[in-house]
């Protein structure tokens, strides 16, 4: 039987021509030469080499070592490049040129695909926020009074955003339990993962001007998976009154593939019904809305422990982006903002161990008799996701993984 082309094999899979996520990779023969790649099936197209070989006007943008110049070029260019890539990978006349520029996925090293400018993390899941509220405020209201009026968020640390596969060193810091007379210092004993979805900004905005609700697609280049690791014990002691700091800033892992927003058109859904009136700048009742039907899966040491549904998120990315800029704060190319922990209403839909174990009270039972309250050294967390695509196909996101290393 004749060998099947990688281009033919990819057509109906989650990384077919309907997806075409962007990444950055190196090869064994040129480990210092990072280049933009586009995933097609189980292969990576050297996008810059293809653009040069085919005389594309966007060859320079696609020949950069990071995605930032392409992201900064704006939505008309994104659409033009995406159209060209689709043609190169589907039209027979380009096959002879393109096929030699495909690299098997297993043969490349995937890099952090963009230079991170700023990082913002939100708290957008009502199910997550409600469960956390019940854990920490069992005799009070689960949600804080502001929660349904605005997307709550905080500014994180851009310099510790790392690509999938990077080990996460157990953080060290101060912690104090109710039983400790004084704070103690040492490695975190309550290290946790947080299954999240990230949005990568391409087109910047001017300081003093806010981004309106209907402008998400003009500014957001694409979507990735995020694990925003948390040291719950360090965070609990430090966060009053200013919020997350050392308990969050040690590492944030992102997937190596950035799925273009245009690839998710079939995944758009209405967000959950609002039961609290919103101020006009956040009110999306008369717009199509930016709920997204993404299906996440969390595995701990290869065992699936949760399937959080992103479609249940109360606050959408469009609302988050608008709120993030309503005070006049500007956007920069490479800004990353994340959804916060994705959780659903079911016990098997919780996106972090804090929820799954009720803050360590109820250990998570694993196969073989093992259990966890929080992460142990050597544990590996893998978060994957897919979304509905056109004609019944799926849009794949790949995965974001990280292994816990002992404290230093």
């Amino acid at each position: 039987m004749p060998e099947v082309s990688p281009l033919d094999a990819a057509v109906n899979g989650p990384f077919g021509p309907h997806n075409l996520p962007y990444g950055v990779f190196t090869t064994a023969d040129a480990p210092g030469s990072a280049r933009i790649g586009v995933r097609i099936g189980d292969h990576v197209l050297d996008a810059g080499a293809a653009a040069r070989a085919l005389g594309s006007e966007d060859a320079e943008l696609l020949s950069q070592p990071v995605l930032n110049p392409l992201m900064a070029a704006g939505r008309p260019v994104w659409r033009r490049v995406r159209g060209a890539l689709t043609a190169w990978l589907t039209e027979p006349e380009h096959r002879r040129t393109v096929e030699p520029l495909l690299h098997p996925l297993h043969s490349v090293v995937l890099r952090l695909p963009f230079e991170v400018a700023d990082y913002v993390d939100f708290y957008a899941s009502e199910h997550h926020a409600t469960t956390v509220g019940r854990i920490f405020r069992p005799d009070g209201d689960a949600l804080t009074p502001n929660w349904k009026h605005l997307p709550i968020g905080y500014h994180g640390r851009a310099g510790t955003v790392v690509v999938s596969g990077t080990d996460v060193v157990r953080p060290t810091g101060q912690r104090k339990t109710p039983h400790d007379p004084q704070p103690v210092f040492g490695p975190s004993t309550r290290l946790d993962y947080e299954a999240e979805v990230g949005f990568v900004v391409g087109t910047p905005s001017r300081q003093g001007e806010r981004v309106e609700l209907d402008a998400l697609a003009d500014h957001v280049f694409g979507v990735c998976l995020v694990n925003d690791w948390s040291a719950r014990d360090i965070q609990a002691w430090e966060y009053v009154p200013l919020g997350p700091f050392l308990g969050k800033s040690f590492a944030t892992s992102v997937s190596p593939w950035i799925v273009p927003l245009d690839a998710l058109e079939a995944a758009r859904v209405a967000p959950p019904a609002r039961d609290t009136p919103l101020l006009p700048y956040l009110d999306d009742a008369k717009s199509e809305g930016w709920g997204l039907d993404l299906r996440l899966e969390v595995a701990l040491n290869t065992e699936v422990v949760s399937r959080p549904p992103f479609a249940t998120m109360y606050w959408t990315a469009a609302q988050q982006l608008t709120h993030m800029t309503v005070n006049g704060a500007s956007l920069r190319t490479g800004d990353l903002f994340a959804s916060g922990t994705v959780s659903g209403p079911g016990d098997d839909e919780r996106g972090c161990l804090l929820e799954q174990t009720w803050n360590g009270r109820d250990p998570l039972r694993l196969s073989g008799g093992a259990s966890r309250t929080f992460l142990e050294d050597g544990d590996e967390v893998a978060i994957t996701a897919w979304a509905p695509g056109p004609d019944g196909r799926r849009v794949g996101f790949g995965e974001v993984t990280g292994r816990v290393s002992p404290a230093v």
Side-chain angles (χ1 to χ4, degrees), residues 119-122 151 155 201 281 319-331 335-337:
Y119 171 52
V120 172
D121 189 37
F122 282 96
H155 281 273
V201 171
Y281 80 97
Q319 290 169 316
Q320 291 164 7
L321 188 67
T322 292
H323 186 66
M324 197 163 66
T325 61
V326 73
N327 67 342
S330 57
L331 298 175
D335 282 354
L336 170 68
F337 65 100

mmCIF file with all atom_site columns, all heavy atoms in Angstrom, residues 119-122 151 155 201 281 319-331 335-337:
data_model
loop_
_atom_site.group_PDB
_atom_site.id
_atom_site.type_symbol
_atom_site.label_atom_id
_atom_site.label_alt_id
_atom_site.label_comp_id
_atom_site.label_asym_id
_atom_site.label_entity_id
_atom_site.label_seq_id
_atom_site.pdbx_PDB_ins_code
_atom_site.Cartn_x
_atom_site.Cartn_y
_atom_site.Cartn_z
_atom_site.occupancy
_atom_site.B_iso_or_equiv
_atom_site.pdbx_formal_charge
_atom_site.auth_seq_id
_atom_site.auth_comp_id
_atom_site.auth_asym_id
_atom_site.auth_atom_id
_atom_site.pdbx_PDB_model_num
ATOM 1   N N   . TYR A 1 119 ? 0.799   39.474 32.738 1.00 0.00 ? 119 TYR A N   1
ATOM 2   C CA  . TYR A 1 119 ? -0.030  38.302 33.020 1.00 0.00 ? 119 TYR A CA  1
ATOM 3   C C   . TYR A 1 119 ? -1.105  38.682 34.035 1.00 0.00 ? 119 TYR A C   1
ATOM 4   O O   . TYR A 1 119 ? -0.807  39.250 35.089 1.00 0.00 ? 119 TYR A O   1
ATOM 5   C CB  . TYR A 1 119 ? 0.816   37.157 33.565 1.00 0.00 ? 119 TYR A CB  1
ATOM 6   C CG  . TYR A 1 119 ? 0.012   35.985 34.073 1.00 0.00 ? 119 TYR A CG  1
ATOM 7   C CD1 . TYR A 1 119 ? -0.963  35.398 33.276 1.00 0.00 ? 119 TYR A CD1 1
ATOM 8   C CD2 . TYR A 1 119 ? 0.206   35.475 35.352 1.00 0.00 ? 119 TYR A CD2 1
ATOM 9   C CE1 . TYR A 1 119 ? -1.729  34.344 33.739 1.00 0.00 ? 119 TYR A CE1 1
ATOM 10  C CE2 . TYR A 1 119 ? -0.547  34.412 35.828 1.00 0.00 ? 119 TYR A CE2 1
ATOM 11  C CZ  . TYR A 1 119 ? -1.513  33.853 35.017 1.00 0.00 ? 119 TYR A CZ  1
ATOM 12  O OH  . TYR A 1 119 ? -2.272  32.807 35.476 1.00 0.00 ? 119 TYR A OH  1
ATOM 13  N N   . VAL A 1 120 ? -2.356  38.382 33.698 1.00 0.00 ? 120 VAL A N   1
ATOM 14  C CA  . VAL A 1 120 ? -3.489  38.622 34.584 1.00 0.00 ? 120 VAL A CA  1
ATOM 15  C C   . VAL A 1 120 ? -4.245  37.307 34.749 1.00 0.00 ? 120 VAL A C   1
ATOM 16  O O   . VAL A 1 120 ? -4.489  36.587 33.781 1.00 0.00 ? 120 VAL A O   1
ATOM 17  C CB  . VAL A 1 120 ? -4.435  39.702 34.008 1.00 0.00 ? 120 VAL A CB  1
ATOM 18  C CG1 . VAL A 1 120 ? -5.715  39.795 34.835 1.00 0.00 ? 120 VAL A CG1 1
ATOM 19  C CG2 . VAL A 1 120 ? -3.740  41.050 33.972 1.00 0.00 ? 120 VAL A CG2 1
ATOM 20  N N   . ASP A 1 121 ? -4.603  37.002 35.992 1.00 0.00 ? 121 ASP A N   1
ATOM 21  C CA  . ASP A 1 121 ? -5.374  35.792 36.276 1.00 0.00 ? 121 ASP A CA  1
ATOM 22  C C   . ASP A 1 121 ? -6.722  36.189 36.859 1.00 0.00 ? 121 ASP A C   1
ATOM 23  O O   . ASP A 1 121 ? -6.787  37.007 37.781 1.00 0.00 ? 121 ASP A O   1
ATOM 24  C CB  . ASP A 1 121 ? -4.611  34.907 37.268 1.00 0.00 ? 121 ASP A CB  1
ATOM 25  C CG  . ASP A 1 121 ? -5.258  33.540 37.428 1.00 0.00 ? 121 ASP A CG  1
ATOM 26  O OD1 . ASP A 1 121 ? -5.767  33.006 36.427 1.00 0.00 ? 121 ASP A OD1 1
ATOM 27  O OD2 . ASP A 1 121 ? -5.231  32.995 38.544 1.00 0.00 ? 121 ASP A OD2 1
ATOM 28  N N   . PHE A 1 122 ? -7.788  35.615 36.302 1.00 0.00 ? 122 PHE A N   1
ATOM 29  C CA  . PHE A 1 122 ? -9.133  35.927 36.770 1.00 0.00 ? 122 PHE A CA  1
ATOM 30  C C   . PHE A 1 122 ? -9.682  34.802 37.654 1.00 0.00 ? 122 PHE A C   1
ATOM 31  O O   . PHE A 1 122 ? -8.996  33.812 37.941 1.00 0.00 ? 122 PHE A O   1
ATOM 32  C CB  . PHE A 1 122 ? -10.053 36.189 35.578 1.00 0.00 ? 122 PHE A CB  1
ATOM 33  C CG  . PHE A 1 122 ? -9.878  37.542 34.972 1.00 0.00 ? 122 PHE A CG  1
ATOM 34  C CD1 . PHE A 1 122 ? -9.049  37.729 33.866 1.00 0.00 ? 122 PHE A CD1 1
ATOM 35  C CD2 . PHE A 1 122 ? -10.518 38.651 35.502 1.00 0.00 ? 122 PHE A CD2 1
ATOM 36  C CE1 . PHE A 1 122 ? -8.873  38.983 33.309 1.00 0.00 ? 122 PHE A CE1 1
ATOM 37  C CE2 . PHE A 1 122 ? -10.354 39.909 34.951 1.00 0.00 ? 122 PHE A CE2 1
ATOM 38  C CZ  . PHE A 1 122 ? -9.529  40.075 33.847 1.00 0.00 ? 122 PHE A CZ  1
ATOM 39  N N   . PRO A 1 151 ? -15.600 40.936 36.934 1.00 0.00 ? 151 PRO A N   1
ATOM 40  C CA  . PRO A 1 151 ? -14.665 39.808 36.905 1.00 0.00 ? 151 PRO A CA  1
ATOM 41  C C   . PRO A 1 151 ? -13.485 40.101 37.836 1.00 0.00 ? 151 PRO A C   1
ATOM 42  O O   . PRO A 1 151 ? -12.696 41.016 37.593 1.00 0.00 ? 151 PRO A O   1
ATOM 43  C CB  . PRO A 1 151 ? -14.208 39.752 35.442 1.00 0.00 ? 151 PRO A CB  1
ATOM 44  C CG  . PRO A 1 151 ? -15.118 40.660 34.679 1.00 0.00 ? 151 PRO A CG  1
ATOM 45  C CD  . PRO A 1 151 ? -15.601 41.684 35.667 1.00 0.00 ? 151 PRO A CD  1
ATOM 46  N N   . HIS A 1 155 ? -2.953  40.794 39.041 1.00 0.00 ? 155 HIS A N   1
ATOM 47  C CA  . HIS A 1 155 ? -1.794  40.777 38.162 1.00 0.00 ? 155 HIS A CA  1
ATOM 48  C C   . HIS A 1 155 ? -0.776  39.774 38.676 1.00 0.00 ? 155 HIS A C   1
ATOM 49  O O   . HIS A 1 155 ? -0.343  39.848 39.831 1.00 0.00 ? 155 HIS A O   1
ATOM 50  C CB  . HIS A 1 155 ? -1.164  42.173 38.066 1.00 0.00 ? 155 HIS A CB  1
ATOM 51  C CG  . HIS A 1 155 ? -1.911  43.076 37.149 1.00 0.00 ? 155 HIS A CG  1
ATOM 52  N ND1 . HIS A 1 155 ? -1.658  43.124 35.797 1.00 0.00 ? 155 HIS A ND1 1
ATOM 53  C CD2 . HIS A 1 155 ? -2.925  43.940 37.365 1.00 0.00 ? 155 HIS A CD2 1
ATOM 54  C CE1 . HIS A 1 155 ? -2.481  44.002 35.221 1.00 0.00 ? 155 HIS A CE1 1
ATOM 55  N NE2 . HIS A 1 155 ? -3.261  44.502 36.154 1.00 0.00 ? 155 HIS A NE2 1
ATOM 56  N N   . VAL A 1 201 ? -2.939  38.091 23.886 1.00 0.00 ? 201 VAL A N   1
ATOM 57  C CA  . VAL A 1 201 ? -3.220  39.352 23.203 1.00 0.00 ? 201 VAL A CA  1
ATOM 58  C C   . VAL A 1 201 ? -2.208  39.580 22.086 1.00 0.00 ? 201 VAL A C   1
ATOM 59  O O   . VAL A 1 201 ? -0.999  39.419 22.272 1.00 0.00 ? 201 VAL A O   1
ATOM 60  C CB  . VAL A 1 201 ? -3.183  40.530 24.201 1.00 0.00 ? 201 VAL A CB  1
ATOM 61  C CG1 . VAL A 1 201 ? -3.266  41.870 23.473 1.00 0.00 ? 201 VAL A CG1 1
ATOM 62  C CG2 . VAL A 1 201 ? -4.320  40.398 25.203 1.00 0.00 ? 201 VAL A CG2 1
ATOM 63  N N   . TYR A 1 281 ? -21.148 48.504 30.611 1.00 0.00 ? 281 TYR A N   1
ATOM 64  C CA  . TYR A 1 281 ? -19.894 48.159 29.923 1.00 0.00 ? 281 TYR A CA  1
ATOM 65  C C   . TYR A 1 281 ? -19.601 46.651 29.952 1.00 0.00 ? 281 TYR A C   1
ATOM 66  O O   . TYR A 1 281 ? -18.809 46.154 29.148 1.00 0.00 ? 281 TYR A O   1
ATOM 67  C CB  . TYR A 1 281 ? -18.717 48.953 30.502 1.00 0.00 ? 281 TYR A CB  1
ATOM 68  C CG  . TYR A 1 281 ? -18.125 48.435 31.788 1.00 0.00 ? 281 TYR A CG  1
ATOM 69  C CD1 . TYR A 1 281 ? -16.986 47.633 31.789 1.00 0.00 ? 281 TYR A CD1 1
ATOM 70  C CD2 . TYR A 1 281 ? -18.690 48.758 33.024 1.00 0.00 ? 281 TYR A CD2 1
ATOM 71  C CE1 . TYR A 1 281 ? -16.426 47.164 32.969 1.00 0.00 ? 281 TYR A CE1 1
ATOM 72  C CE2 . TYR A 1 281 ? -18.140 48.310 34.201 1.00 0.00 ? 281 TYR A CE2 1
ATOM 73  C CZ  . TYR A 1 281 ? -17.004 47.505 34.177 1.00 0.00 ? 281 TYR A CZ  1
ATOM 74  O OH  . TYR A 1 281 ? -16.453 47.045 35.349 1.00 0.00 ? 281 TYR A OH  1
ATOM 75  N N   . GLN A 1 319 ? -15.629 39.892 28.448 1.00 0.00 ? 319 GLN A N   1
ATOM 76  C CA  . GLN A 1 319 ? -15.885 40.703 29.642 1.00 0.00 ? 319 GLN A CA  1
ATOM 77  C C   . GLN A 1 319 ? -14.604 40.934 30.436 1.00 0.00 ? 319 GLN A C   1
ATOM 78  O O   . GLN A 1 319 ? -14.368 42.025 30.970 1.00 0.00 ? 319 GLN A O   1
ATOM 79  C CB  . GLN A 1 319 ? -16.942 40.024 30.517 1.00 0.00 ? 319 GLN A CB  1
ATOM 80  C CG  . GLN A 1 319 ? -18.337 40.039 29.910 1.00 0.00 ? 319 GLN A CG  1
ATOM 81  C CD  . GLN A 1 319 ? -19.291 39.148 30.666 1.00 0.00 ? 319 GLN A CD  1
ATOM 82  O OE1 . GLN A 1 319 ? -18.955 38.020 31.035 1.00 0.00 ? 319 GLN A OE1 1
ATOM 83  N NE2 . GLN A 1 319 ? -20.497 39.638 30.923 1.00 0.00 ? 319 GLN A NE2 1
ATOM 84  N N   . GLN A 1 320 ? -13.779 39.928 30.509 1.00 0.00 ? 320 GLN A N   1
ATOM 85  C CA  . GLN A 1 320 ? -12.511 40.070 31.225 1.00 0.00 ? 320 GLN A CA  1
ATOM 86  C C   . GLN A 1 320 ? -11.616 41.112 30.555 1.00 0.00 ? 320 GLN A C   1
ATOM 87  O O   . GLN A 1 320 ? -11.014 41.960 31.223 1.00 0.00 ? 320 GLN A O   1
ATOM 88  C CB  . GLN A 1 320 ? -11.808 38.715 31.295 1.00 0.00 ? 320 GLN A CB  1
ATOM 89  C CG  . GLN A 1 320 ? -12.508 37.720 32.198 1.00 0.00 ? 320 GLN A CG  1
ATOM 90  C CD  . GLN A 1 320 ? -12.043 36.293 31.966 1.00 0.00 ? 320 GLN A CD  1
ATOM 91  O OE1 . GLN A 1 320 ? -11.108 36.035 31.211 1.00 0.00 ? 320 GLN A OE1 1
ATOM 92  N NE2 . GLN A 1 320 ? -12.712 35.343 32.601 1.00 0.00 ? 320 GLN A NE2 1
ATOM 93  N N   . LEU A 1 321 ? -11.542 41.049 29.226 1.00 0.00 ? 321 LEU A N   1
ATOM 94  C CA  . LEU A 1 321 ? -10.703 42.002 28.501 1.00 0.00 ? 321 LEU A CA  1
ATOM 95  C C   . LEU A 1 321 ? -11.222 43.422 28.657 1.00 0.00 ? 321 LEU A C   1
ATOM 96  O O   . LEU A 1 321 ? -10.445 44.369 28.873 1.00 0.00 ? 321 LEU A O   1
ATOM 97  C CB  . LEU A 1 321 ? -10.640 41.621 27.022 1.00 0.00 ? 321 LEU A CB  1
ATOM 98  C CG  . LEU A 1 321 ? -9.643  42.402 26.168 1.00 0.00 ? 321 LEU A CG  1
ATOM 99  C CD1 . LEU A 1 321 ? -8.217  42.083 26.573 1.00 0.00 ? 321 LEU A CD1 1
ATOM 100 C CD2 . LEU A 1 321 ? -9.851  42.106 24.685 1.00 0.00 ? 321 LEU A CD2 1
ATOM 101 N N   . THR A 1 322 ? -12.530 43.590 28.561 1.00 0.00 ? 322 THR A N   1
ATOM 102 C CA  . THR A 1 322 ? -13.119 44.917 28.742 1.00 0.00 ? 322 THR A CA  1
ATOM 103 C C   . THR A 1 322 ? -12.859 45.447 30.146 1.00 0.00 ? 322 THR A C   1
ATOM 104 O O   . THR A 1 322 ? -12.452 46.599 30.329 1.00 0.00 ? 322 THR A O   1
ATOM 105 C CB  . THR A 1 322 ? -14.635 44.856 28.475 1.00 0.00 ? 322 THR A CB  1
ATOM 106 O OG1 . THR A 1 322 ? -14.852 44.589 27.090 1.00 0.00 ? 322 THR A OG1 1
ATOM 107 C CG2 . THR A 1 322 ? -15.313 46.165 28.832 1.00 0.00 ? 322 THR A CG2 1
ATOM 108 N N   . HIS A 1 323 ? -13.096 44.609 31.142 1.00 0.00 ? 323 HIS A N   1
ATOM 109 C CA  . HIS A 1 323 ? -12.891 45.053 32.517 1.00 0.00 ? 323 HIS A CA  1
ATOM 110 C C   . HIS A 1 323 ? -11.419 45.364 32.791 1.00 0.00 ? 323 HIS A C   1
ATOM 111 O O   . HIS A 1 323 ? -11.092 46.315 33.516 1.00 0.00 ? 323 HIS A O   1
ATOM 112 C CB  . HIS A 1 323 ? -13.380 43.992 33.494 1.00 0.00 ? 323 HIS A CB  1
ATOM 113 C CG  . HIS A 1 323 ? -13.328 44.428 34.924 1.00 0.00 ? 323 HIS A CG  1
ATOM 114 N ND1 . HIS A 1 323 ? -14.122 45.436 35.421 1.00 0.00 ? 323 HIS A ND1 1
ATOM 115 C CD2 . HIS A 1 323 ? -12.551 44.022 35.962 1.00 0.00 ? 323 HIS A CD2 1
ATOM 116 C CE1 . HIS A 1 323 ? -13.856 45.620 36.705 1.00 0.00 ? 323 HIS A CE1 1
ATOM 117 N NE2 . HIS A 1 323 ? -12.905 44.772 37.054 1.00 0.00 ? 323 HIS A NE2 1
ATOM 118 N N   . MET A 1 324 ? -10.530 44.607 32.185 1.00 0.00 ? 324 MET A N   1
ATOM 119 C CA  . MET A 1 324 ? -9.092  44.785 32.388 1.00 0.00 ? 324 MET A CA  1
ATOM 120 C C   . MET A 1 324 ? -8.610  46.139 31.871 1.00 0.00 ? 324 MET A C   1
ATOM 121 O O   . MET A 1 324 ? -7.591  46.668 32.315 1.00 0.00 ? 324 MET A O   1
ATOM 122 C CB  . MET A 1 324 ? -8.363  43.646 31.666 1.00 0.00 ? 324 MET A CB  1
ATOM 123 C CG  . MET A 1 324 ? -6.935  43.408 32.073 1.00 0.00 ? 324 MET A CG  1
ATOM 124 S SD  . MET A 1 324 ? -6.398  41.767 31.516 1.00 0.00 ? 324 MET A SD  1
ATOM 125 C CE  . MET A 1 324 ? -6.439  41.938 29.736 1.00 0.00 ? 324 MET A CE  1
ATOM 126 N N   . THR A 1 325 ? -9.350  46.708 30.917 1.00 0.00 ? 325 THR A N   1
ATOM 127 C CA  . THR A 1 325 ? -8.932  47.966 30.291 1.00 0.00 ? 325 THR A CA  1
ATOM 128 C C   . THR A 1 325 ? -9.864  49.133 30.600 1.00 0.00 ? 325 THR A C   1
ATOM 129 O O   . THR A 1 325 ? -9.621  50.247 30.131 1.00 0.00 ? 325 THR A O   1
ATOM 130 C CB  . THR A 1 325 ? -8.863  47.799 28.765 1.00 0.00 ? 325 THR A CB  1
ATOM 131 O OG1 . THR A 1 325 ? -10.162 47.454 28.255 1.00 0.00 ? 325 THR A OG1 1
ATOM 132 C CG2 . THR A 1 325 ? -7.867  46.717 28.376 1.00 0.00 ? 325 THR A CG2 1
ATOM 133 N N   . VAL A 1 326 ? -10.940 48.899 31.387 1.00 0.00 ? 326 VAL A N   1
ATOM 134 C CA  . VAL A 1 326 ? -11.942 49.946 31.586 1.00 0.00 ? 326 VAL A CA  1
ATOM 135 C C   . VAL A 1 326 ? -11.372 51.153 32.337 1.00 0.00 ? 326 VAL A C   1
ATOM 136 O O   . VAL A 1 326 ? -11.870 52.267 32.208 1.00 0.00 ? 326 VAL A O   1
ATOM 137 C CB  . VAL A 1 326 ? -13.178 49.372 32.312 1.00 0.00 ? 326 VAL A CB  1
ATOM 138 C CG1 . VAL A 1 326 ? -12.871 49.091 33.787 1.00 0.00 ? 326 VAL A CG1 1
ATOM 139 C CG2 . VAL A 1 326 ? -14.377 50.300 32.179 1.00 0.00 ? 326 VAL A CG2 1
ATOM 140 N N   . ASN A 1 327 ? -10.318 50.932 33.097 1.00 0.00 ? 327 ASN A N   1
ATOM 141 C CA  . ASN A 1 327 ? -9.695  52.046 33.821 1.00 0.00 ? 327 ASN A CA  1
ATOM 142 C C   . ASN A 1 327 ? -8.667  52.795 32.988 1.00 0.00 ? 327 ASN A C   1
ATOM 143 O O   . ASN A 1 327 ? -8.020  53.715 33.464 1.00 0.00 ? 327 ASN A O   1
ATOM 144 C CB  . ASN A 1 327 ? -9.034  51.539 35.106 1.00 0.00 ? 327 ASN A CB  1
ATOM 145 C CG  . ASN A 1 327 ? -7.833  50.642 34.825 1.00 0.00 ? 327 ASN A CG  1
ATOM 146 O OD1 . ASN A 1 327 ? -7.685  50.134 33.714 1.00 0.00 ? 327 ASN A OD1 1
ATOM 147 N ND2 . ASN A 1 327 ? -6.991  50.438 35.819 1.00 0.00 ? 327 ASN A ND2 1
ATOM 148 N N   . GLY A 1 328 ? -8.497  52.389 31.724 1.00 0.00 ? 328 GLY A N   1
ATOM 149 C CA  . GLY A 1 328 ? -7.521  53.026 30.859 1.00 0.00 ? 328 GLY A CA  1
ATOM 150 C C   . GLY A 1 328 ? -6.217  52.278 30.732 1.00 0.00 ? 328 GLY A C   1
ATOM 151 O O   . GLY A 1 328 ? -5.309  52.724 30.015 1.00 0.00 ? 328 GLY A O   1
ATOM 152 N N   . ALA A 1 329 ? -6.100  51.129 31.405 1.00 0.00 ? 329 ALA A N   1
ATOM 153 C CA  . ALA A 1 329 ? -4.885  50.329 31.258 1.00 0.00 ? 329 ALA A CA  1
ATOM 154 C C   . ALA A 1 329 ? -4.753  49.850 29.818 1.00 0.00 ? 329 ALA A C   1
ATOM 155 O O   . ALA A 1 329 ? -5.727  49.443 29.190 1.00 0.00 ? 329 ALA A O   1
ATOM 156 C CB  . ALA A 1 329 ? -4.922  49.137 32.210 1.00 0.00 ? 329 ALA A CB  1
ATOM 157 N N   . SER A 1 330 ? -3.550  49.896 29.301 1.00 0.00 ? 330 SER A N   1
ATOM 158 C CA  . SER A 1 330 ? -3.315  49.520 27.902 1.00 0.00 ? 330 SER A CA  1
ATOM 159 C C   . SER A 1 330 ? -2.985  48.041 27.778 1.00 0.00 ? 330 SER A C   1
ATOM 160 O O   . SER A 1 330 ? -2.524  47.399 28.728 1.00 0.00 ? 330 SER A O   1
ATOM 161 C CB  . SER A 1 330 ? -2.174  50.347 27.324 1.00 0.00 ? 330 SER A CB  1
ATOM 162 O OG  . SER A 1 330 ? -0.991  50.175 28.099 1.00 0.00 ? 330 SER A OG  1
ATOM 163 N N   . LEU A 1 331 ? -3.224  47.510 26.597 1.00 0.00 ? 331 LEU A N   1
ATOM 164 C CA  . LEU A 1 331 ? -2.819  46.160 26.242 1.00 0.00 ? 331 LEU A CA  1
ATOM 165 C C   . LEU A 1 331 ? -1.488  46.215 25.509 1.00 0.00 ? 331 LEU A C   1
ATOM 166 O O   . LEU A 1 331 ? -1.220  47.149 24.766 1.00 0.00 ? 331 LEU A O   1
ATOM 167 C CB  . LEU A 1 331 ? -3.853  45.499 25.330 1.00 0.00 ? 331 LEU A CB  1
ATOM 168 C CG  . LEU A 1 331 ? -5.259  45.299 25.879 1.00 0.00 ? 331 LEU A CG  1
ATOM 169 C CD1 . LEU A 1 331 ? -6.160  44.751 24.777 1.00 0.00 ? 331 LEU A CD1 1
ATOM 170 C CD2 . LEU A 1 331 ? -5.245  44.368 27.078 1.00 0.00 ? 331 LEU A CD2 1
ATOM 171 N N   . ASP A 1 335 ? 0.515   40.077 26.040 1.00 0.00 ? 335 ASP A N   1
ATOM 172 C CA  . ASP A 1 335 ? -0.237  39.965 27.293 1.00 0.00 ? 335 ASP A CA  1
ATOM 173 C C   . ASP A 1 335 ? -0.965  38.623 27.326 1.00 0.00 ? 335 ASP A C   1
ATOM 174 O O   . ASP A 1 335 ? -1.518  38.169 26.318 1.00 0.00 ? 335 ASP A O   1
ATOM 175 C CB  . ASP A 1 335 ? -1.263  41.092 27.417 1.00 0.00 ? 335 ASP A CB  1
ATOM 176 C CG  . ASP A 1 335 ? -0.661  42.423 27.824 1.00 0.00 ? 335 ASP A CG  1
ATOM 177 O OD1 . ASP A 1 335 ? 0.552   42.464 28.131 1.00 0.00 ? 335 ASP A OD1 1
ATOM 178 O OD2 . ASP A 1 335 ? -1.399  43.425 27.833 1.00 0.00 ? 335 ASP A OD2 1
ATOM 179 N N   . LEU A 1 336 ? -0.974  38.025 28.497 1.00 0.00 ? 336 LEU A N   1
ATOM 180 C CA  . LEU A 1 336 ? -1.689  36.768 28.714 1.00 0.00 ? 336 LEU A CA  1
ATOM 181 C C   . LEU A 1 336 ? -2.680  36.976 29.844 1.00 0.00 ? 336 LEU A C   1
ATOM 182 O O   . LEU A 1 336 ? -2.312  37.457 30.913 1.00 0.00 ? 336 LEU A O   1
ATOM 183 C CB  . LEU A 1 336 ? -0.690  35.666 29.095 1.00 0.00 ? 336 LEU A CB  1
ATOM 184 C CG  . LEU A 1 336 ? -1.271  34.333 29.582 1.00 0.00 ? 336 LEU A CG  1
ATOM 185 C CD1 . LEU A 1 336 ? -1.998  33.607 28.458 1.00 0.00 ? 336 LEU A CD1 1
ATOM 186 C CD2 . LEU A 1 336 ? -0.156  33.450 30.160 1.00 0.00 ? 336 LEU A CD2 1
ATOM 187 N N   . PHE A 1 337 ? -3.949  36.669 29.590 1.00 0.00 ? 337 PHE A N   1
ATOM 188 C CA  . PHE A 1 337 ? -4.894  36.664 30.696 1.00 0.00 ? 337 PHE A CA  1
ATOM 189 C C   . PHE A 1 337 ? -5.598  35.313 30.744 1.00 0.00 ? 337 PHE A C   1
ATOM 190 O O   . PHE A 1 337 ? -5.948  34.744 29.721 1.00 0.00 ? 337 PHE A O   1
ATOM 191 C CB  . PHE A 1 337 ? -5.876  37.842 30.654 1.00 0.00 ? 337 PHE A CB  1
ATOM 192 C CG  . PHE A 1 337 ? -6.831  37.894 29.495 1.00 0.00 ? 337 PHE A CG  1
ATOM 193 C CD1 . PHE A 1 337 ? -8.147  37.466 29.634 1.00 0.00 ? 337 PHE A CD1 1
ATOM 194 C CD2 . PHE A 1 337 ? -6.429  38.411 28.264 1.00 0.00 ? 337 PHE A CD2 1
ATOM 195 C CE1 . PHE A 1 337 ? -9.042  37.548 28.568 1.00 0.00 ? 337 PHE A CE1 1
ATOM 196 C CE2 . PHE A 1 337 ? -7.322  38.503 27.196 1.00 0.00 ? 337 PHE A CE2 1
ATOM 197 C CZ  . PHE A 1 337 ? -8.633  38.062 27.347 1.00 0.00 ? 337 PHE A CZ  1
#
